[in-house]
Amino acid sequence: MLIQSIYGIFCFVALFSALLVVFSPHPVYGALYLVTTMLSIAGLFVLMNAQLAAAFQVIVYAGAIMVLFMFVIMLLNLGRQDGPAVRTRGVRWWGLVFGGVFLAQVVAMVAQLVTRPVGAAAPSAAPSAAAAFASVRIHEVARLLMTDYVYAFEMTSVLLLIAIVGAVVLARRQLVQGVSEEDLRS
Amino acid sequence: MTYMIHGNLILAMAIFTIGMLGILWKRNAIAIFMCVELMLNAANLVFVTFAQSLGQARGVAVFLFVITVAAAEAAVGLALFIKVFNDKQTIEADRLDMLQH
Amino acid sequence: MNPQLILLIPVLPLLAFLANGLFGRWLGRAGGWLAVLCMGGSAVIGAVLFIGALGGRIALPVDVTLWQWLAVGDLSVRVGFHVDQLTCLMLFFVTLVSSLVFLYSMGYMEGDPGFNRFFAYMGLFDFSMLVLVLGDSLPVMFVGWEGVGLCSYLLIGYYLALPGAADAGKKAFIVNRIGDFGFLVAMCMLFKATGTLHIQTILGEAAAGANPLLRAGGAFVTALTLMLFLGCTGKSAQIPLFVWLPDAMAGPTPVSALIHAATMVTAGVYLMVRLSALFALAPATMLVVAIVAALTAFVAGSIALTQRDIKKVLAYSTVSQLGYMFLACGVGAFVAGIFHVFTHAFFKGLLFLGAGSVIHSAHHEQDLFNLGGLRRAMPKTAVTFFIACLAIAGIPPLAGFFSKDEILWQTFASGRLGLWVLGVVTALMTAIYSFRAYFLTFEGESRLEKAHGHGHGDAHGHGAVHESPATMTIPLILLAVGAVGAGFLNLPPLFLGGEGKEGVVSTFLEPVLAPAREIIAARAHMAAAGEAVHHGAGLEVGLMLFSIALAVAGLLLARHYALKAWPAAADRAAHRFGSLYQLSYHRWWWDDFYNLAVAGGLRGVARLATWFDRWIIDGILHTIGGLASLGSRALRGLQNGQVQSYALGFLVGVNVVVWLVLWF
């Protein structure tokens, strides 16, 4: 019962703060709510016995990426959105319509999956669903990364390197306000 | 534990849709970017949920990849925003229509 | 001789064209010498071929097939060359005269800024002409035919800065197009009749007489040959399409020599002789050809009498002489026609090059009335020019006498006395205008000083009139030798000791022209049924003496009016025959007539077409364009540059995909 209550609280916080990300007028608040969502999801990971994922979620997402977001928001010193919207409002309402359609479709899909008799379901989904969550061992993840996913792993490292270089090149001049490019070169 | 699987899936769908609508709704490019992160998180939640329920390490591995890509994307995207802000003095998505040209 | 060597004949001028056209900037003067060498090489091969064929050491005909060009349905065209006796003769004098003109151009065009461009065009011109002569099927011939037209346009308009030159080039091109239309239609008709465009096959069918469409005297073959003749009138400057040729004088003088003597204008005669078997099937066409040709000869000759520009005189002279050639073909004497082409190439080339030599050293003075007395300054030019005049006037034993007299005799023998009279009058006029040009240019007092004011030459550092350089006089002398000697290649039977003996060229061309001769003979046999008109040798001698007397009379008349009693007698004559003089001087108002009737009529048609184009064609197009514009205006909203609009599109797409994946 305790687990279920904690699960419910996490779910609620995650959903509510996700909504607040969209509805908060100032990006700083939005970013903080996003952190809240991520932490809640990390809590859900812990409840599922996925400690590794939870740790990554907290350290990388909530820690590193969100700090970067905060940093940029502060740097640009963006205030509330002001001024009249330029684009037509149609995009928002049409977005709502198609978002609703999308949600309906996915809900229908999940409902189909959930209400399906256990015996007729896909063999992989049935047996462990009822059992307690198994703990995915860390060394198994590591082995996968070094064997099956080794190419993807290496490419990801290259991707990160490119991202670092790209970010530096793109933002270099602007980060050092008042210093001309010639000064940087010399 | 079945309720947790179903609950997680429904929660992920909800967060995913919220993020999606946020992308269409928000005007600040950084806010839009945060909505993208919401969607990624929803996807991550589904990956990890299935990984745990099936005892499969692969789901967690994919989760790691998603996190890495998200980090790279955030780095480049935010650098772009800085650049655009310096050129146009705004990063509001509806005021930027350079893609038209 | 290896038949593959024949390929070199057209390829060498092409080489000259490519070298000068692509690398002229770096070659400079060497490019000109290269062109001369190439053309000279062609001439040597042509001469070896001709002499070898004359001596019977080379078996003719030779066919060289190069490659398949077109294969569309039933139509199959191979690019191939057919070398028979006629081709040999044409190759011989075309390459010979061309190479002399090339050499001459080395002197004439020296220092011209477009030196290499000139030689490039000339090379292309000769290449086209040789393809025309060599082609074994009508499309291949047509390529050469059109190439010659194009090059004439380029060369006539060579002096780009000269206002008249570009117009003259355009005129030549457009008038030629009208003729080309006839050629094209004739080609289509031939394809319909025979299913092939290979010339020898067509001629074979024509001679066999089995083809119902090519029945002798039939309407189809008459229309077909008339269309062909339309093509000839364009290329070979006959009434009504001769107007381009006098204007073509705007080009450099070597070009005029090349066009009028050796290459372009002979193409029509060549075509007619080449397809003589077809023409022989259509007596109506032959009659039309003869009448048009005789009229052309007469009209052009009369115009040449009074022209003041030395090149214009020669131009109308060319038209007139071409009339002789067609007259010969029209009365069935194809050998006489092609032989006149042959001799004409020498003396007309010589006349033009001589005129060029005069123009070159007289500071581009072309008005006869401002020249005179040049014989002392440039003796070589004067002597060779005089020889050419003797030749064209028909004084024996020079080339023109034998070829022209043969034509007149054949016309007389065919029984068409009206045409013969026209021909004889033209012969008299020929002598008058050519000697008039000679006397006004080379004899009497020099009028250059008076025309240009005293000290004109010194002030510009040109000095007095002087003889042209060796590169120009050597071709003159060589052509003069040809003008003297070419006639001996085809002496009339009379000189050879009577009936049954034929001249060298007649014997040589017999295999080519036999089908046409047989067709004509068969018809004459049926019509006359034995009542053959047989003219005695005495009559022939009498007529010959008569035309010699005419030529001499022309010489004396010209001497009187242009030298002895100049200018008083000429003025008096012009006054007395006022209207005739005006008619001649204004070229029978042909050009004005065309301006009024053809150009005016075309303008009306064009106005109608403009209206149609503006309101009907454009209306349809604007409707279509407007629809497209409306559609795009509707679609333009989609590309507004808003990322979020694009994201919405993305979302719609995702929905569709999910829907498809879930429910199908």
Side-chain angles (χ1 to χ4, degrees):
Chain A
M1 218 34 220
L2 179 68
I3 300 288
Q4 289 173 9
S5 323
I6 296 173
Y7 177 76
I9 292 168
F10 276 144
C11 275
F12 176 74
V13 172
L15 194 61
F16 191 68
S17 51
L19 281 172
L20 283 174
V21 169
V22 177
F23 287 108
S24 63
H26 197 286
V28 171
Y29 297 140
L32 288 174
Y33 285 122
L34 185 58
V35 172
T36 315
T37 311
M38 284 169 175
L39 289 176
S40 309
I41 290 175
L44 291 177
F45 288 169
V46 171
L47 286 181
M48 284 189 295
N49 225 354
Q51 289 84 0
L52 177 69
F56 270 106
Q57 179 85 358
V58 172
I59 296 168
V60 178
Y61 244 131
I65 297 179
M66 287 320 295
V67 166
L68 192 59
F69 267 88
M70 293 302 277
F71 183 65
V72 173
I73 293 167
M74 298 297 186
L75 179 80
L76 298 185
N77 196 16
L78 293 169
R80 293 169 58 98
Q81 301 175 3
D82 46 6
V86 176
R87 85 176 124 99
T88 52
R89 310 299 268 184
V91 172
R92 291 184 172 187
W93 303 113
W94 280 113
L96 213 55
V97 169
F98 283 104
V101 172
F102 178 78
L103 190 64
Q105 291 204 89
V106 182
V107 166
M109 174 174 72
V110 173
Q112 211 180 23
L113 210 71
V114 169
T115 56
R116 184 182 290 165
V118 173
S124 57
S128 55
F133 286 112
S135 177
V136 172
R137 282 169 301 176
I138 297 175
H139 77 259
E140 205 176 335
V141 177
R143 200 183 52 78
L144 268 176
L145 286 182
M146 286 300 157
T147 54
D148 285 13
Y149 295 128
V150 65
Y151 293 119
F153 185 70
E154 295 297 335
M155 292 316 292
T156 315
S157 62
V158 175
L159 175 75
L160 276 176
L161 181 66
I162 294 172
I164 293 165
V165 175
V168 169
V169 169
L170 278 172
R172 181 183 56 173
R173 195 163 63 104
Q174 288 74 25
L175 281 174
V176 194
Q177 295 280 346
V179 181
S180 71
E181 236 174 294
E182 281 69 31
D183 293 337
L184 277 177
R185 283 199 191 114
S186 61
Chain B
M1 293 301 171
T2 322
Y3 72 92
M4 216 181 265
I5 298 171
H6 291 170
N8 280 353
L9 288 181
I10 291 165
L11 179 66
M13 282 175 347
I15 295 179
F16 190 87
T17 312
I18 291 169
M20 203 163 67
L21 291 178
I23 287 177
L24 296 176
W25 204 268
K26 301 293 279 186
R27 287 170 60 197
N28 189 317
I30 292 180
I32 292 176
F33 220 57
M34 290 194 289
C35 294
V36 173
E37 298 295 336
L38 270 183
M39 291 169 75
L40 284 171
N41 262 296
N44 278 342
L45 183 56
V46 175
F47 272 123
V48 172
T49 303
F50 278 119
Q52 292 303 120
S53 67
L54 301 176
Q56 275 279 349
R58 286 171 194 276
V60 180
V62 172
F63 163 74
L64 289 179
F65 284 125
V66 172
I67 267 192
T68 325
V69 171
E73 179 204 341
V76 176
L78 291 172
L80 273 174
F81 291 153
I82 294 172
K83 186 91 178 162
V84 170
F85 186 78
N86 271 286
D87 281 358
K88 305 276 170 188
Q89 305 308 318
T90 182
I91 49 166
E92 287 181 17
D94 52 354
R95 292 184 190 275
L96 301 172
D97 56 357
M98 277 126 34
L99 279 178
Q100 196 172 21
H101 309 296
Chain C
M1 194 172 118
N2 187 343
Q4 300 299 322
L5 268 180
I6 293 162
L7 285 180
L8 273 180
I9 296 179
V11 164
L12 281 174
L14 185 65
L15 196 69
F17 159 63
L18 291 176
N20 276 293
L22 295 176
F23 309 113
R25 189 189 299 254
W26 297 279
L27 283 173
R29 213 171 142 69
W33 283 116
L34 182 70
V36 173
L37 271 182
C38 285
M39 207 58 234
S42 281
V44 168
I45 301 172
V48 168
L49 185 68
F50 181 59
I51 293 168
L54 263 186
R57 281 192 303 281
I58 295 171
L60 292 175
V62 178
D63 278 290
V64 184
T65 304
L66 294 178
W67 65 82
Q68 176 87 26
W69 179 18
L70 288 174
V72 183
D74 296 336
L75 176 65
S76 159
V77 179
R78 286 167 303 136
V79 174
F81 293 156
H82 175 80
V83 181
D84 59 10
Q85 286 82 354
L86 177 62
T87 322
C88 273
L89 182 70
M90 291 292 291
L91 285 179
F92 172 59
F93 78 82
V94 167
T95 54
L96 182 62
V97 176
S98 296
S99 57
L100 292 177
V101 172
F102 271 52
L103 178 61
Y104 177 90
S105 306
M106 283 302 296
Y108 190 87
M109 300 305 288
E110 188 172 359
D112 192 279
F115 187 78
N116 293 99
R117 181 164 59 95
F118 179 80
F119 275 99
Y121 290 166
M122 294 279 272
L124 186 60
F125 196 110
D126 258 293
F127 168 72
S128 309
M129 184 66 198
L130 293 169
V131 167
L132 197 167
V133 171
L134 281 166
D136 73 342
S137 63
L138 289 170
V140 177
M141 256 183 104
F142 193 67
V143 168
W145 186 272
E146 287 295 308
V148 169
L150 167 70
C151 292
S152 71
Y153 163 74
L154 292 173
L155 282 169
I156 292 167
Y158 172 78
Y159 290 130
L160 303 166
L162 228 63
D167 287 341
K170 263 189 289 183
K171 188 169 176 180
F173 202 62
I174 291 165
V175 172
N176 265 300
R177 295 298 317 168
I178 300 173
D180 297 342
F181 157 76
F183 194 165
L184 270 177
V185 172
M187 225 194 291
C188 298
M189 291 172 82
L190 272 176
F191 181 69
K192 178 177 163 51
T194 63
T196 178
L197 290 171
H198 190 251
I199 293 173
Q200 295 307 314
T201 318
I202 291 171
L203 291 181
E205 288 212 18
N211 194 317
L213 284 173
L214 296 182
R215 193 167 37 82
F220 187 86
V221 77
T222 305
L224 165 71
T225 46
L226 277 175
M227 278 298 160
L228 277 175
F229 181 60
L230 178 62
C232 296
T233 58
K235 233 9 135 211
S236 290
Q238 297 296 294
I239 289 176
L241 297 181
F242 72 93
V243 288
W244 66 269
L245 196 140
D247 284 33
M249 293 300 123
T253 310
V255 172
S256 313
L258 196 62
I259 290 181
H260 299 109
T263 52
M264 185 167 168
V265 296
T266 60
V269 186
Y270 169 73
L271 178 69
M272 190 157 172
V273 177
R274 169 59 77 207
L275 299 176
S276 52
L278 274 180
F279 279 94
L281 287 174
T285 308
M286 297 283 273
L287 185 61
V288 170
V289 171
I291 291 170
V292 167
L295 282 175
T296 308
F298 176 75
V299 169
S302 71
I303 294 173
L305 283 178
T306 57
Q307 294 305 304
R308 289 180 57 162
D309 185 331
I310 182 167
K311 287 179 77 179
K312 283 275 157 74
V313 173
L314 296 180
Y316 282 104
S317 157
T318 303
V319 177
S320 173
Q321 298 298 313
L322 286 166
Y324 271 130
M325 298 166 200
F326 278 108
L327 177 59
C329 295
V331 298
F334 292 104
V335 174
I338 206 75
F339 187 57
H340 197 55
V341 171
F342 178 67
T343 58
H344 178 255
F346 290 102
F347 55 71
K348 186 48 63 66
L350 180 52
L351 282 172
F352 266 111
L353 294 187
S357 176
V358 169
I359 294 165
H360 184 66
S361 49
H363 316 314
H364 290 268
E365 178 56 67
Q366 303 190 8
D367 193 337
L368 286 171
F369 291 5
N370 294 336
L371 292 166
L374 292 176
R375 183 163 57 85
R376 284 175 297 281
M378 32 200 333
K380 287 179 196 156
T381 309
V383 169
T384 49
F385 199 90
F386 189 67
I387 291 173
C389 288
L390 288 177
I392 196 174
I395 308 267
L398 283 86
F401 169 73
F402 295 108
S403 54
K404 187 161 67 182
D405 219 55
E406 179 70 10
I407 291 172
L408 288 176
W409 167 243
Q410 295 279 2
T411 313
F412 186 82
S414 75
R416 301 207 169 91
L417 286 182
L419 299 178
W420 178 79
V421 169
L422 276 178
V424 167
V425 174
T426 309
L428 175 65
M429 292 194 297
T430 306
I432 296 176
Y433 68 67
S434 50
F435 284 113
R436 169 178 173 271
Y438 171 76
F439 285 124
L440 284 177
T441 310
F442 293 102
E443 303 289 345
E445 291 299 312
S446 172
R447 295 176 290 272
L448 262 177
E449 295 281 304
K450 203 163 60 191
H452 289 274
H454 290 286
H456 165 86
D458 298 328
H460 290 79
H462 287 308
V465 175
H466 52 82
E467 183 60 279
S468 301
T471 44
M472 292 168 71
T473 49
I474 290 173
L476 289 178
I477 293 165
L478 289 175
L479 280 174
V481 171
V484 172
F488 292 103
L489 276 178
N490 198 29
L491 293 175
L494 194 67
F495 286 72
L496 294 168
E499 292 290 314
K501 298 218 172 165
E502 294 283 338
V504 179
V505 172
S506 302
T507 321
F508 184 56
L509 293 181
E510 173 63 17
V512 182
L513 297 173
R517 198 172 44 73
E518 275 159 20
I519 292 169
I520 293 174
R523 189 169 54 241
H525 189 71
M526 269 195 302
E531 190 207 327
V533 190
H534 188 267
H535 302 289
L539 186 59
E540 194 176 346
V541 172
L543 288 176
M544 212 173 267
L545 289 175
F546 177 54
S547 53
I548 294 170
L550 277 180
V552 173
L555 193 160
L556 293 175
L557 267 173
R559 188 158 179 270
H560 175 70
Y561 279 106
L563 188 62
K564 292 286 177 204
W566 172 263
D571 280 345
R572 263 203 315 281
H575 216 71
R576 191 177 310 151
F577 302 105
S579 51
L580 283 176
Y581 178 79
Q582 291 298 327
L583 187 67
S584 163
Y585 187 72
H586 291 288
R587 304 158 207 168
W588 290 49
W589 286 285
W590 271 104
D591 285 296
D592 306 270
F593 171 71
Y594 277 146
N595 268 343
L596 200 73
V598 180
L602 276 179
R603 221 165 276 140
V605 174
R607 217 166 279 140
L608 191 71
T610 309
W611 180 86
F612 188 80
D613 184 59
R614 185 168 301 153
W615 297 109
I616 309 291
I617 308 272
D618 283 5
I620 294 169
L621 290 180
H622 284 160
T623 311
I624 296 170
L627 286 177
S629 173
L630 274 178
S632 61
R633 200 165 298 155
L635 287 174
R636 194 169 59 194
L638 285 182
Q639 200 204 343
N640 54 6
Q642 299 281 344
V643 188
Q644 286 166 313
S645 310
Y646 299 166
L648 178 63
F650 191 80
L651 174 56
V652 173
V654 167
N655 267 316
V656 172
V657 170
V658 170
W659 185 66
L660 285 175
V661 168
L662 281 185
W663 313 115
F664 290 99

